[in-house]
């Protein structure tokens, strides 16, 4: 962060300002982030990436209408700005406007190549919205697409585990829970869900176990 501040003292640069703002947001220094983005927009009003990150700040501050306005202004200027659609979808789902969120994430996915690693997060977002809308089969399809592109997304594996668990496919559920735990070993939801799964299987059929022999011994 000190390096970025020093660079700005030499010459103002929109990308450097934006990166500094992102660092302030991630470290919870929201007032300082606001000051940086105010400077950015005063000096470089056409720098669109900054508006997207500024919207993330506004979302944290619960300034939902201002965040929506910032993202819509980006899309108005460039209808192929994939990240703006993605952030708008996240905003709408956060404020319980899931149908609009679904529309926006589909617009983002249309701009995406299925082989781009960054597209995996779009499919995760799509799956989350469909899960919220209770369309579990379609949500599972999106999560599967996400992990095919990037197998290292713990959230996608966890939700795939949840869906398989709810639908009675216990071995598949365990496989994805284990993948999620390997990627995010301190996630309490994964640990709790695995315990529930094992108890449920043992209760329904004490002679049957889920997974490999090591897992069976714990049933």
């Amino acid at each position: 962060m000190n390096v970025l501040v020093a660079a700005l003292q030499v010459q103002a640069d929109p990308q450097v300002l934006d990166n500094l703002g992102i660092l302030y947001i991630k470290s919870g220094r929201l007032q300082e982030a606001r000051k940086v983005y105010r400077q950015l927009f005063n000096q470089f009003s056409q720098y669109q990436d900054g508006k997207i990150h500024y919207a993330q700040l506004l979302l944290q501050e619960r300034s939902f209408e201002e965040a929506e306005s910032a993202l819509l202004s980006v899309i108005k200027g460039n209808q192929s700005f994939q990240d703006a659609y993605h952030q708008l979808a996240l905003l709408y789902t956060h404020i319980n406007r899931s149908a609009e969120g679904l529309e926006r994430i589909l617009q983002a996915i249309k701009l995406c190549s299925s082989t781009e690693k960054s597209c995996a997060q779009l499919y995760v977002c799509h799956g989350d919205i469909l899960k919220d809308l209770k369309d579990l089969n379609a949500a599972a399809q999106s999560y599967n697409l996400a992990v095919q592109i990037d197998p290292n997304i713990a959230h996608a594996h966890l939700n795939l585990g949840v869906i398989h668990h709810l639908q009675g496919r216990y071995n598949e559920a365990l496989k994805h829970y284990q993948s999620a735990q390997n990627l995010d070993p301190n996630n309490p939801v994964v640990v709790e869900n695995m315990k529930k799964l094992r108890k449920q299987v043992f209760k329904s059929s004490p002679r049957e176990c889920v997974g490999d022999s090591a897992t069976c011994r714990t049933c």
Side-chain angles (χ1 to χ4, degrees):
M1 192 177 297
N2 291 335
V3 174
L4 295 177
V5 174
L8 290 170
Q9 290 174 348
V10 177
Q11 181 178 358
D13 178 274
Q15 188 170 353
V16 174
L17 281 166
D18 192 19
N19 288 339
L20 182 60
I22 292 169
L23 285 173
Y24 280 141
I25 293 170
K26 289 182 177 179
S27 60
R29 297 162 65 177
L30 302 186
Q31 290 302 317
E32 290 165 284
R34 263 191 173 275
K35 290 179 183 178
V36 168
Y37 282 110
R38 193 179 300 120
Q39 180 184 349
L40 174 61
F41 300 142
N42 284 339
Q43 294 184 267
F44 306 99
S45 59
Q46 301 305 311
Y47 189 73
Q48 299 301 302
D49 282 335
K51 292 183 181 179
I52 294 174
H53 301 136
Y54 180 59
Q56 294 173 351
L57 165 64
L58 294 170
L59 182 58
Q60 287 193 36
E61 294 182 332
R62 303 184 65 81
S63 300
F64 301 130
E65 290 185 9
E66 194 178 350
E68 180 183 20
S69 178
L71 292 168
L72 288 174
S73 72
V74 173
I75 292 170
K76 184 177 180 181
N78 182 354
Q79 294 187 2
S80 63
F81 215 121
Q82 183 188 89
D83 200 29
Y85 289 115
H86 184 195
Q87 294 303 319
L88 199 55
L90 293 172
L91 168 64
Y92 285 147
T93 54
H94 188 78
I95 58 176
N96 298 317
R97 290 163 62 180
S98 295
E100 292 170 271
L102 181 61
E103 178 185 351
R104 293 302 185 176
I105 199 61
L106 287 172
Q107 288 174 304
I109 288 172
K110 284 180 182 178
L111 296 169
C112 199
S113 165
S114 60
T115 58
E116 286 180 71
K117 201 166 186 179
S118 61
C119 292
Q121 290 296 339
L122 300 182
Y123 286 111
V124 171
C125 180
H126 186 229
D128 287 346
I129 295 171
L130 291 168
K131 184 169 173 284
D132 288 344
L133 294 171
K134 311 301 182 187
D135 191 347
L136 297 184
N137 290 331
Q141 290 178 6
S142 285
Y143 291 134
N144 274 317
L145 284 170
V147 298
Q148 285 172 22
I149 298 169
D150 183 357
N152 297 317
I153 303 178
H155 178 78
H157 283 292
L158 172 57
N159 280 349
L160 273 170
V162 169
I163 292 170
H164 287 306
H165 192 166
L166 290 172
Q167 296 181 337
R169 294 186 292 272
Y170 298 140
N171 279 306
E172 284 296 307
L174 183 64
K175 180 183 75 174
H176 286 290
Y177 284 155
Q178 288 174 330
S179 294
Q181 189 174 43
N182 289 336
L183 293 164
D184 187 9
N186 296 319
N187 189 323
V189 177
V190 179
V191 174
E192 185 62 27
N193 282 8
M194 289 178 73
K195 288 180 180 177
K196 288 178 180 178
L197 175 62
R198 287 167 176 150
K199 286 180 181 178
Q200 186 173 356
V201 172
F202 182 75
K203 184 177 179 180
S204 62
S205 181
R207 294 182 180 180
E208 294 182 11
C209 287
V210 177
D212 57 23
S213 58
T215 302
C216 285
R217 286 196 294 272
T218 66
C219 290

